[in-house]
Amino acid sequence: MSYPILSTVIFLPIVGAIFIFLIKRTSETLIKWTALLLSLLTFALSLPLFTDFDKTTAGMQFRETADWIPAWGIKYALGVDGISVLFVLLSTLLAILCVTISWNSIKLKTKEFYAALLLIEGSMIGVFCSLDLFLFYIFWEAMLIPMYLLIGIWGGPNRIYAAIKFFLFTLVGSVLMLVGIIVLYLNTGRSFDILQMMATNYPYDLQVILFWAFFAAFAVKVPMFPVHTWLPDAHTEAPTAGSVILAGILIKMGAYGFLRFNMPILPEATKAMAPAMMVLSVIAIIYGAVICLGQTDLKRLIAYSSVSHMGFVTLGLFALNMQGLQGGILQMINHGVVTGALFLSVGVIYDRTHTRQIADYGGAASVLPVYAAFFMVFTLASIGLPATNGFIGEFLIILGGFTASKVLGTLSATGIILGAAYMLWLYQRVFFMEVNPKLQGYKDMDMREILTLVPLLILVFWIGVYPNTFLSFMDASVQNLINRVNTAGQPQTAQHIIEVIK
Amino acid sequence: MDKYILIPLLPLTAFIINILFGKSVTKDKAHWVAILAVLGSFVLALHTFTEVLGGKTVNQDVYTWFVSGSFRVSMGFLIDQLTAIMLIVVTSISLLVHIYSVGYMHGDGGYYRFFSYLSLFTFSMLMLVMGNNLLQLYFGWEAVGLCSYFLIGFWYEKKSAADAGKKAFIVNRFGDFGFGLGVIMIFLTLGSVYYADIFSKIGTLQGQTINLLGYDVNLITLIALLLFCGAVGKSAQIPLHVWLPDAMEGPTPVSALIHAATMVTAGVFMVARFNPVFSLSEVAMNVVAVTGAVTSLFAATIALVQNDIKRIIAYSTVSQLGYMFLACGVGAYGAGVFHLYTHAYFKALLFLGAGSVMHAMSGELDIQKMGGLKKYMPVTYWTFLIASLSIAGIPGLAGFFSKDEILWLAYNGGPVGKVVWAIGTLVAALTAFYSFRIIFLAFHGKFRGTREQEHHLHESPKSMTIPLIILAVGAIAAGWVGIPSVVGGSNAIARFFQPVLGHPHVHAGHDEEWIVMGISVAVAMGGIFVSWVFYSLKPGIPRSLAANFKGIYTTLWNKYYIDELYDFIIIRPVKWTAVNVLMAVTDGAIIEGIVNGIPKAIANLSARLRKLQTGYVQHYAMSMAIGLFVIITLFLIAASK
């Protein structure tokens, strides 16, 4: 098959969203089926990225380039490498599950909901595929709008507060990044070409300024300590699909930003700032985990666990070695799968009980045994049990982190104790002990819900038992990235820098 | 190769069948699937054992698990003498426990679930002992821990059971924290996590130190102690022993299989497996020996006063595991594993016997409420008696030979060895005492339970008594492979282990060996005698002792208040910090304070914006427009330069 794969998977959902807008509001079934078929089709069309990807090269693949605004050096340039390709696939997969999990729970403004969902999908994929910084920024910001709507319209009781908080945090970060982008543009011979930037060596002082400018945007997204407080509110108030997208993809964009911009474009600054980044990461791991022990709200707890898990991710990335980076990227996927699954699972029970308070549960394993089994698997993956995906990621990260810094590596490993403590405690309070009378009479998962969770269940074990399928995608690109960071700032490139500045 | 893969794969298959189809298809026939699978594993294990006896060892990869840069690890098998004996222990005890459970778990609502967990456990334990690298060991290690969690909390409706399962998992994670760092240290220093590579290269680290927070620490000592952390957790040694007694919340067959015979011995197995590493560090060896000795004494003293039959046996297990570490610590790895092997039979027997008693007593655990059970359940009584004689170390029975071997080799082991030998001998007396306390209180004398209970007293069904009888044979004869030369035996097992585990040099002569043996037999007899006096002849003595030494008694009764201590210094402070510091202060007052409060202007602005908006889309379109406007303006400024 020959079609522009990346453009297709970006614009099929976006065009689809417009199409959904044209459907009559009352034809809810038609709207839902259209959204489902569109997301399935997008997923199917994205599969060649998995099967035809050339794992031997670090370069961009499936590239598409066209001039867009030549006067300003803006191009429509797309491509994926070993770092981004898996996120495109994860996005197309999770989009389907978001549609199916919302099937019965979204009754208000159905049309707008599914349209927003597809808009988010398209723009998220756009973020991962853009090779032009201007295009990247468009997608980055475009995604915010439907996400804001998702939380603000279909969220819980406190949704407006959460939505505005989410928006403000992200906006403040983005504004600083925008400044950074413009400075980069001016220093790259008026070009937004990301690949050209990766080949350019900027003066160190400039790199440092740019590093923090981009850091502002990405750290908020990850979210890193101490700019994480929007996440618990956003997650708690968002509808299930919103939480899944937030946890599954949106917060990965922050880490992806570090990988795509800070590291290859600003390698010297990255190297210099890495210790600080690692310290922040370890704080996030421990802080996020300990605070989980104080939570009384299901979704809030899982949201804070994301802070801890994303701490592992950034620790691995800024360890700047093979195991750390591969573990970090794999853990991004893992976190998308597992936390996505946990939020989907919470959605399953929330649809029945309409409460997020842990105290309203208890004994759910007796009432909903199949559901309990699924939740158990995702809990185990979350605490990094071997043979689940979480183990591979966490192990590589701790190995990489320890290689970079023994103290930080050791501290990060306390996360495995705390992680077990808060997750198993959560599981006990929800599923074990005597059945809470409030839970009596609820039905176990139906086929739609089971089918929604099964793909993620398979991924948990696939990545846990045979992670090489996924690690091998990254080998070349990560090695290339490491080389870039390690050889940066060496004398022979000084001449080149001067030329660029001229 | 295929044959070896089948050993763990058969129980895994049984697990998958029962967990997926237990509810709809196999139901109350679930045990057939599980038993056939473990029987298959047992037969293959026997076959493998005979191959190893013939001198064959195997070290082979099955598939590459994961690769990242220079890190590579696979799933693979190392079959040698140590693995072979573990295969026999695991599959045989597992098989007997499976059969016993058919009777014991009959009619339980989670029947199929129980057997699927047993199968999963057997698979995991086999993966643990068969692995040829540290990461596969870690896989098995965590997987058996998971099964333990499932099975302790099997009756999850009970809060105490759910608590105990969680506690076991989390306490073990403390050990695994060190263990994991040990694995990482090994990879960073030796570049591999495969046993063969580690053992051949570990010597190159001799004399090397590593700087830790300003101190130079011997590298091998550090690695060995980190690994030992894992063993301390899994094998319930001080200070991580607290989970094992609580684990008795699980069904009794589970206590026999997991919390006595197999999983808890994984720590001993690991230390024995890593003997080439431990042996290079005297400090680490002494830590292992002393931890083992202290734990064995500590747990034995607690066992003296408990009344819950399963908890007594649980503390006895902690104590006996301490014995095994004591052995490893003095370099007598072979003796440690020998005791692991004999202990598996007599301790599984004790637990299954206790289960049989509970079965008859409608779940009663308090030995003070039993008495005279001998005449109602003779098979249980006689087998329990054999197990007790064996653990007490009465000559001729399995426990005697392994315990004697440990004490003798400890006695030979330098100053530390002498000390731990003395402790071990004392523990032998205590062991005999508390073991026979159960015999006298539960099986002899008059029945002290309710009339209702007395009415129901009965011997257990055949599916339960036959495993008891088979285990009793083991509790008698399992030690005959290790009869020392001084009494005319050939100590075949020590020679069998020699290639993997070595054998410590013995300086002392036969006379001393006779004396050491004599002392341990004498203290065992003494322990039984005192127990008989206390609980059969003059029942007033223990009561007046408890009254006169109230401080000691309550301390022992409350298990030295360790649980309370941990609650006070770890659990509460962490929870308090979460709620009162992180949530209230840092997240709440500081970060949220800055975000929500400080830029009042922004807050006002957002409030106004909120009022402005008639629909959300427009609002965002506007902010986009503003954004674009900013970009364009900046462009123009830049272009005009």
Side-chain angles (χ1 to χ4, degrees):
Chain A
M1 280 197 290
S2 65
Y3 54 91
I5 296 177
L6 297 180
S7 289
T8 309
V9 295
I10 294 171
F11 288 103
L12 183 63
I14 293 176
V15 173
I18 297 166
F19 181 72
I20 285 182
F21 260 115
L22 301 176
I23 300 177
K24 225 168 56 191
R25 174 169 301 283
T26 46
S27 320
E28 284 201 8
T29 318
L30 179 63
I31 289 169
K32 287 195 279 193
W33 278 101
T34 310
L36 178 60
L37 289 177
L38 278 167
S39 58
L40 282 169
L41 186 62
T42 310
F43 178 66
L45 290 172
S46 70
L47 283 178
L49 296 177
F50 187 71
T51 51
D52 300 352
F53 187 84
D54 178 2
K55 296 175 181 179
T56 57
T57 169
M60 291 292 165
Q61 304 181 36
F62 303 96
R63 289 184 64 170
E64 295 168 33
T65 316
D67 278 337
W68 185 11
I69 313 175
W72 291 347
I74 296 170
K75 279 189 266 183
Y76 175 78
L78 301 174
V80 287
D81 65 356
I83 291 170
S84 52
V85 63
L86 294 174
F87 296 102
V88 176
L89 290 159
L90 183 65
S91 306
T92 56
L93 174 66
L94 285 180
I96 304 170
L97 311 182
C98 286
V99 172
T100 57
I101 200 70
S102 308
W103 205 256
N104 294 334
S105 56
I106 300 295
K107 300 194 172 75
L108 172 82
K109 297 184 195 284
T110 319
K111 184 161 101 168
E112 285 81 357
F113 177 83
Y114 289 103
L117 211 55
L118 291 171
L119 278 177
I120 296 174
E121 180 186 5
S123 38
M124 286 190 311
I125 298 171
V127 167
F128 290 121
C129 299
S130 295
L131 293 182
D132 182 281
L133 203 44
F134 187 84
L135 185 64
F136 168 84
Y137 191 75
I138 299 278
F139 282 127
W140 178 272
E141 292 292 338
M143 183 193 57
L144 274 184
I145 303 166
M147 195 63 222
Y148 173 88
L149 295 177
L150 217 57
I151 299 172
I153 298 178
W154 294 277
N158 207 10
R159 57 185 179 270
I160 303 293
Y161 171 76
I164 290 185
K165 196 168 177 183
F166 161 73
F167 185 76
L168 283 181
F169 262 87
T170 325
L171 195 70
V172 170
S174 300
V175 165
L176 289 171
M177 177 168 76
L178 182 60
V179 174
I181 288 176
I182 292 160
V183 174
L184 255 183
Y185 169 77
L186 296 175
N187 284 281
T188 319
R190 315 238 154 169
S191 165
F192 285 108
D193 188 339
I194 293 173
L195 295 181
Q196 193 184 331
M197 292 172 183
M198 288 180 184
T200 308
N201 290 306
Y202 302 96
Y204 178 74
D205 293 343
L206 181 66
Q207 284 197 25
V208 172
I209 295 165
L210 288 171
F211 184 94
W212 291 111
F214 281 97
F215 170 84
F218 301 146
V220 166
K221 271 271 169 27
V222 167
M224 289 176 80
F225 178 88
V227 286
H228 62 275
T229 57
W230 65 270
L231 188 75
D233 286 315
H235 265 315
T236 310
E237 298 302 326
T240 302
S243 297
V244 173
I245 288 175
L246 269 176
I249 309 294
L250 196 134
I251 66 177
K252 305 301 169 320
M253 289 179 178
Y256 172 75
F258 287 129
L259 284 162
R260 182 59 81 227
F261 300 101
N262 293 49
M263 290 182 187
I265 297 179
L266 316 165
E268 286 169 88
T270 300
K271 237 170 144 176
M273 301 306 155
M277 296 294 113
M278 288 177 70
V279 169
L280 283 178
S281 306
V282 171
I283 293 176
I285 292 173
I286 298 172
Y287 187 97
V290 172
I291 211 165
C292 279
L293 292 168
Q295 301 307 312
T296 53
D297 180 305
L298 263 174
K299 285 182 92 175
R300 229 181 154 75
L301 193 154
I302 299 172
Y304 271 116
S305 82
S306 288
V307 175
S308 184
H309 284 147
M310 289 308 286
F312 271 111
V313 169
T314 48
L315 174 71
L317 300 186
F318 283 100
L320 298 176
N321 52 40
M322 193 68 182
Q323 288 86 24
L325 276 160
Q326 278 202 323
I329 298 168
L330 188 69
Q331 193 65 0
M332 287 160 73
I333 305 285
N334 291 342
H335 181 262
V337 169
V338 172
T339 310
L342 284 171
F343 277 119
L344 287 170
S345 305
V346 171
V348 166
I349 195 107
Y350 184 81
D351 280 351
R352 290 161 174 71
T353 60
H354 299 285
T355 173
R356 297 188 312 256
Q357 290 305 308
I358 297 170
D360 289 336
Y361 293 93
S366 304
V367 186
L368 310 108
V370 176
Y371 175 64
F374 273 94
F375 205 104
M376 175 52 79
V377 171
F378 298 127
T379 299
L380 296 176
S382 173
I383 63 181
L385 200 88
T388 68
N389 56 354
F391 172 72
I392 311 288
E394 276 184 11
F395 177 78
L396 286 175
I397 289 168
I398 296 174
L399 178 58
F402 197 86
T403 311
S405 157
K406 289 187 188 64
V407 174
L408 293 177
T410 305
L411 286 174
S412 74
T414 58
I416 67 162
I417 303 175
L418 292 165
Y422 66 74
M423 282 312 284
L424 293 183
W425 193 35
L426 169 72
Y427 196 88
Q428 176 181 0
R429 286 179 289 169
V430 174
F431 290 93
F432 290 159
M433 304 189 290
E434 277 175 32
V435 180
N436 189 321
K438 292 179 188 167
L439 287 184
Q440 283 297 1
Y442 285 117
K443 283 215 176 69
D444 209 337
M445 291 206 290
D446 61 23
M447 202 35 88
R448 172 183 62 86
E449 291 165 331
I450 290 175
L451 288 178
T452 302
L453 289 176
V454 161
L456 299 179
L457 189 86
I458 292 170
L459 278 174
V460 163
F461 290 116
W462 184 354
I463 302 179
V465 174
Y466 197 71
N468 283 338
T469 314
F470 302 90
L471 288 171
S472 60
F473 273 87
M474 310 167 196
D475 280 334
S477 295
V478 171
Q479 190 55 57
N480 186 47
L481 183 61
I482 292 172
N483 295 342
R484 168 77 179 148
V485 174
N486 284 337
T487 56
Q490 286 177 2
Q492 72 267 21
T493 56
Q495 190 59 39
H496 182 66
I497 298 172
I498 296 164
E499 275 168 30
V500 170
I501 295 168
K502 276 178 187 165
Chain B
M1 193 76 239
D2 297 345
K3 178 181 67 191
Y4 305 121
I5 290 184
L6 278 180
I7 296 176
L9 228 50
L10 284 171
L12 178 67
T13 313
F15 163 71
I16 294 171
I17 291 173
N18 275 333
I19 201 77
L20 291 181
F21 307 111
K23 206 166 197 177
S24 52
V25 184
T26 52
K27 291 181 196 167
D28 56 349
K29 303 279 182 295
H31 58 269
W32 281 111
V33 181
I35 289 175
L36 282 176
V38 69
L39 180 66
S41 299
F42 175 62
V43 171
L44 290 170
L46 279 179
H47 185 72
T48 307
F49 184 77
T50 53
E51 280 181 1
V52 175
L53 267 184
K56 185 181 171 189
T57 57
V58 180
N59 182 3
Q60 232 172 331
D61 282 359
V62 179
Y63 81 95
T64 302
W65 186 10
F66 61 106
V67 183
S68 174
S70 57
F71 183 86
R72 190 187 87 85
V73 70
S74 55
M75 289 289 176
F77 297 137
L78 171 67
I79 313 271
D80 62 1
Q81 289 82 355
L82 180 58
T83 309
I85 202 88
M86 293 302 290
L87 287 179
I88 296 292
V89 170
V90 173
T91 53
S92 65
I93 304 276
S94 179
L95 178 61
L96 292 171
V97 166
H98 271 76
I99 295 168
Y100 178 92
S101 302
V102 174
Y104 191 84
M105 298 301 289
H106 179 75
D108 190 280
Y111 193 75
Y112 79 90
R113 201 161 50 88
F114 183 81
F115 278 98
S116 40
Y117 293 159
L118 280 190
S119 299
L120 182 64
F121 171 77
T122 310
F123 158 74
S124 311
M125 191 68 204
L126 289 168
M127 290 296 280
L128 190 162
V129 299
M130 292 174 78
N132 68 352
N133 65 74
L134 261 173
L135 230 60
Q136 184 175 336
L137 174 72
Y138 194 82
F139 161 75
W141 193 267
E142 295 280 300
V144 290
L146 174 71
C147 299
S148 164
Y149 167 77
F150 284 155
L151 286 163
I152 295 169
F154 184 73
W155 290 307
Y156 55 78
E157 300 90 346
K158 258 170 76 187
K159 182 169 187 304
S160 55
D163 279 339
K166 182 183 63 185
K167 181 175 177 182
F169 198 100
I170 295 170
V171 170
N172 267 290
R173 276 269 161 133
F174 277 88
D176 298 346
F177 167 77
F179 186 28
L181 291 178
V183 174
I184 287 173
M185 281 296 293
I186 284 180
F187 175 72
L188 290 184
T189 51
L190 300 173
S192 172
V193 289
Y194 289 88
Y195 296 154
D197 296 335
I198 297 169
F199 301 154
S200 68
K201 287 187 201 158
I202 188 74
T204 61
L205 298 184
Q206 260 181 308
Q208 287 191 35
T209 57
I210 182 170
N211 194 286
L212 271 190
L213 304 170
Y215 295 95
D216 281 335
V217 181
N218 182 295
L219 197 52
I220 296 180
T221 301
L222 179 69
I223 289 173
L225 289 179
L226 284 172
L227 294 179
F228 185 58
C229 285
V232 167
K234 189 100 331 186
S235 297
Q237 299 294 290
I238 289 175
L240 298 179
H241 64 282
V242 289
W243 65 271
L244 186 57
D246 288 19
M248 298 303 121
E249 289 286 343
T252 307
V254 170
S255 311
L257 175 62
I258 301 185
H259 305 120
T262 56
M263 182 189 82
V264 290
T265 63
V268 181
F269 165 77
M270 191 255 278
V271 172
R273 174 59 83 204
F274 277 81
N275 72 81
V277 177
F278 280 87
S279 296
L280 290 179
S281 165
E282 207 188 322
V283 177
M285 290 293 276
N286 289 341
V287 170
V288 173
V290 171
T291 306
V294 171
T295 305
S296 72
L297 178 62
F298 168 87
T301 54
I302 297 176
L304 297 177
V305 302
Q306 302 298 316
N307 283 331
D308 178 320
I309 186 169
K310 281 184 74 180
R311 280 188 190 245
I312 300 171
I313 308 175
Y315 278 108
S316 155
T317 306
V318 174
S319 176
Q320 295 300 309
L321 290 165
Y323 244 80
M324 297 172 208
F325 282 114
L326 183 163
C328 292
V330 296
Y333 304 98
V337 177
F338 181 30
H339 195 56
L340 183 164
Y341 153 77
T342 58
H343 175 260
Y345 294 97
F346 61 71
K347 188 51 66 65
L349 177 52
L350 284 174
F351 267 120
L352 294 186
S356 180
V357 169
M358 286 166 64
H359 195 72
M361 298 273 304
S362 328
E364 181 61 67
L365 285 159
D366 189 343
I367 50 174
Q368 301 291 357
K369 293 178 185 156
M370 299 175 185
L373 298 181
K374 183 176 149 186
K375 68 173 174 204
Y376 300 99
M377 29 198 343
V379 179
T380 304
Y381 170 69
W382 285 106
T383 51
F384 203 95
L385 181 65
I386 289 168
S388 300
L389 289 167
S390 191
I391 192 177
I394 297 305
L397 283 83
F400 166 76
F401 293 110
S402 55
K403 192 180 275 192
D404 180 62
E405 179 85 351
I406 290 176
L407 290 175
W408 169 236
L409 293 175
Y411 177 81
N412 273 285
V416 176
K418 289 279 190 303
V419 173
V420 298
W421 167 76
I423 297 176
T425 306
L426 174 59
V427 171
L430 300 178
T431 307
F433 174 82
Y434 67 67
S435 299
F436 275 82
R437 182 169 168 261
I438 302 178
I439 294 278
F440 292 122
L441 281 177
F443 291 98
H444 289 248
K446 272 207 201 97
F447 187 74
R448 297 178 297 276
T450 61
R451 183 114 347 137
E452 175 87 15
Q453 283 172 324
E454 187 168 17
H455 187 68
H456 282 123
L457 286 177
H458 59 276
E459 182 58 282
S460 299
K462 284 245 159 36
S463 63
M464 288 166 70
T465 51
I466 290 172
L468 291 181
I469 294 166
I470 297 172
L471 283 171
V473 174
I476 296 169
W480 295 351
V481 294
I483 300 174
S485 53
V486 70
V487 292
S490 60
N491 207 352
I493 196 147
R495 281 188 289 115
F496 176 67
F497 283 142
Q498 176 89 34
V500 211
L501 303 177
H503 194 73
H505 190 65
V506 174
H507 328 272
H510 279 319
D511 297 345
E512 278 177 272
E513 190 167 356
W514 278 112
I515 294 168
V516 167
M517 192 184 286
I519 293 173
S520 67
V521 172
V523 297
M525 298 288 202
I528 296 173
F529 177 74
V530 175
S531 190
W532 176 68
V533 173
F534 276 26
Y535 298 103
S536 210
L537 202 61
K538 294 201 155 59
I541 299 180
R543 249 168 276 145
S544 67
L545 276 178
N548 291 335
F549 298 93
K550 208 164 172 35
I552 297 174
Y553 177 78
T554 32
T555 307
L556 293 180
W557 175 252
N558 288 297
K559 309 141 204 162
Y560 296 92
Y561 300 99
I562 305 284
D563 278 321
E564 288 76 4
L565 180 73
Y566 288 170
D567 186 53
F568 189 71
I569 62 169
I570 299 175
I571 299 169
R572 283 189 208 193
V574 172
K575 280 189 186 169
W576 187 86
T577 308
V579 176
N580 296 312
V581 179
L582 303 192
M583 285 167 74
V585 181
T586 46
D587 253 33
I590 301 176
I591 300 174
E592 292 289 74
I594 293 169
V595 171
N596 292 337
I598 295 209
K600 279 259 174 191
I602 292 178
N604 286 338
L605 183 68
S606 71
R608 250 174 264 156
L609 278 175
R610 243 174 295 168
K611 278 175 202 151
L612 272 178
Q613 65 197 24
T614 46
Y616 299 96
V617 182
Q618 287 91 323
H619 167 51
Y620 282 97
M622 194 175 79
S623 55
M624 275 282 278
I626 295 171
L628 278 172
F629 175 75
V630 173
I631 300 178
I632 293 163
T633 314
L634 284 167
F635 268 132
L636 292 175
I637 296 167
S640 64
K641 266 191 204 163

